Amino acid sequence: MPLLPLPMLRQFGLIALVAGSLAQSPSFAEEISVTQWGQSLYGAPFAVGMDKGLFKKAGIDITGIIGSAGGGTTVRNILASATPYGEVALPAALAAAAQGGLDLIIVNVGTHTVAESSLVTMPNSDIKTIDDLVGKKVAITSPKSSSEMIFLMELKAKGIDPAKITRVAAGGYPPALTMLEQGAVSAAGLIEPLSIIRKDRYRTVLAAKDVLPPMTTSVGITTREFAKAHPDKLKAIIAGRRAAVEAIYANPGEAAAVLQKMWNFDPAVAKVAVDNMIGPKMWSLGDFDRAELERTVDGLRLIGEVKGEIDWSKLIDQSFLPADLQRKL
């Protein structure tokens, strides 16, 4: 399997990374760790599942969340922990599997869209479409980052030669916006909820959800050893998360209220953020889709992070999913 370097793991740090010490009995209080907790919508199912007691109902009493910084080190720490389950970016999972010594498997899908991403410009800019960026400069967070990958995928979808647009590494989303405001670039990549908070300051050139189809963005991983020894725990985590995802789609308003309460989100921001992800169905029930997996890998090829093919049969184990979510890949 192709090797993805550790810096790649840090670029996808917005994806939820879950771990903890799950007990043998659902009556024992559990705590799990989620990277970027309270900042990214990837962890919303865990917030809703805890608030509504859905994990406890499934057999795992998760009562608290501990923040996690993410990155390659965290992936390794989680896989070496007492309960080595984590929801990570698909690129991070591929990187960890490729580096050897980590006999991990992918057991569920977490999210499958890049709908939170957009390309913005200043309100008075003459940039109206992505085609207008030919010959211009665009700010990304850093080379080989998710922002660069998504931008290159958008250019490919629109049939635009990426060599005709200069990509400038800003070092993060806020610095990219500063460059935009100062006129150093003509457009910049942006993600939610920052795009919601600053919606009056920029104009959207292109929303990723309008041009890019669904693709696997995060997955649940564990070690083969843990999966063999504790299948019921994995099934309970996946079942509880599925119930939470169903609850989000059934009542987005209640989900937004949970994020407002648990993450101290501004009420308006929480509502818009959740509503924006309902249409593109950001949160997966957990099932795998071969086409969506391959789309993300195609994006990784554009930034030089994957060469060759991925053997999904060696990485994915669907046996912990509910029977109705298992399918041939």
Side-chain angles (χ1 to χ4, degrees):
M1 180 178 296
L3 177 68
L4 281 73
L6 285 177
M8 186 64 181
L9 301 181
R10 301 187 183 98
Q11 303 298 346
F12 291 84
L14 286 178
I15 307 300
L17 192 57
V18 182
S21 298
L22 301 182
Q24 298 292 336
S25 168
S27 64
F28 191 88
E30 308 287 355
E31 287 190 338
I32 62 174
S33 177
V34 178
T35 194
Q36 302 292 335
W37 179 252
Q39 300 178 48
S40 166
L41 289 178
Y42 293 99
F46 295 97
V48 172
M50 288 173 55
D51 184 77
K52 295 183 173 296
L54 299 176
F55 287 108
K56 187 174 183 178
K57 185 177 180 180
I60 293 291
D61 186 12
I62 298 176
T63 60
I65 299 293
I66 302 172
S68 175
T73 300
T74 309
V75 172
R76 291 181 178 274
N77 288 343
I78 284 178
L79 295 178
S81 68
T83 305
Y85 170 85
E87 187 175 308
V88 304
L90 177 57
L94 296 177
Q99 289 173 13
L102 298 175
D103 191 19
L104 65 82
I105 53 173
I106 299 173
V107 294
N108 70 282
V109 170
T111 53
H112 56 162
T113 184
V114 290
E116 74 280 5
S117 299
S118 60
L119 193 65
V120 300
T121 190
M122 298 303 294
N124 60 352
S125 171
D126 59 356
I127 302 297
K128 304 301 181 183
T129 71
I130 193 171
D131 299 270
D132 297 329
L133 291 172
V134 172
K136 309 289 186 180
K137 295 180 180 180
V138 173
I140 58 172
T141 58
S142 58
K144 299 184 183 295
S145 65
S146 58
S147 66
E148 182 178 37
M149 183 186 83
I150 292 169
F151 181 53
L152 290 177
M153 293 180 79
E154 291 168 339
L155 293 179
K156 183 178 180 180
K158 290 293 186 177
I160 301 173
D161 182 355
K164 295 182 178 181
I165 300 175
T166 301
R167 301 188 294 281
V168 181
Y173 290 106
L177 295 175
T178 297
M179 293 183 70
L180 177 63
E181 292 175 358
Q182 294 177 345
V185 296
S186 298
L190 190 55
I191 60 171
E192 295 187 7
L194 188 58
S195 58
I196 300 172
I197 296 171
R198 298 191 181 186
K199 65 178 181 178
D200 296 328
R201 295 171 61 174
Y202 313 107
R203 174 167 50 79
T204 299
V205 176
L206 181 70
K209 64 183 178 182
D210 292 336
V211 65
L212 298 181
M215 63 187 72
T216 306
T217 45
S218 71
V219 291
I221 63 173
T222 189
T223 64
R224 294 181 192 277
E225 180 181 4
F226 182 79
K228 183 178 180 180
H230 303 284
D232 291 342
K233 287 187 178 183
L234 287 177
K235 290 178 180 179
I237 294 171
I238 293 171
R241 185 191 173 281
R242 174 188 183 166
V245 170
E246 292 174 335
I248 292 174
Y249 290 136
N251 197 325
E254 282 190 5
V258 171
L259 301 189
Q260 176 190 346
K261 176 177 60 177
M262 296 190 71
W263 293 355
N264 198 30
F265 266 26
D266 176 272
V269 171
K271 184 179 187 307
V272 173
V274 173
D275 286 347
N276 284 352
M277 295 301 107
I278 296 300
K281 290 191 175 296
M282 176 181 190
W283 304 281
S284 167
L285 295 179
D287 51 316
F288 294 90
D289 184 298
R290 178 66 177 262
E292 294 180 5
L293 289 164
E294 293 292 352
R295 285 177 190 136
T296 301
V297 172
D298 286 343
L300 293 172
R301 291 193 182 98
L302 290 177
I303 56 175
E305 291 302 315
V306 166
K307 295 179 176 66
E309 301 298 319
I310 302 296
D311 188 347
W312 298 113
S313 67
K314 293 182 178 180
L315 281 177
I316 293 174
D317 186 340
Q318 301 187 59
S319 64
F320 307 99
L321 291 172
D324 65 309
L325 295 184
Q326 297 180 28
R327 60 177 55 91
K328 183 177 180 180
L329 289 179

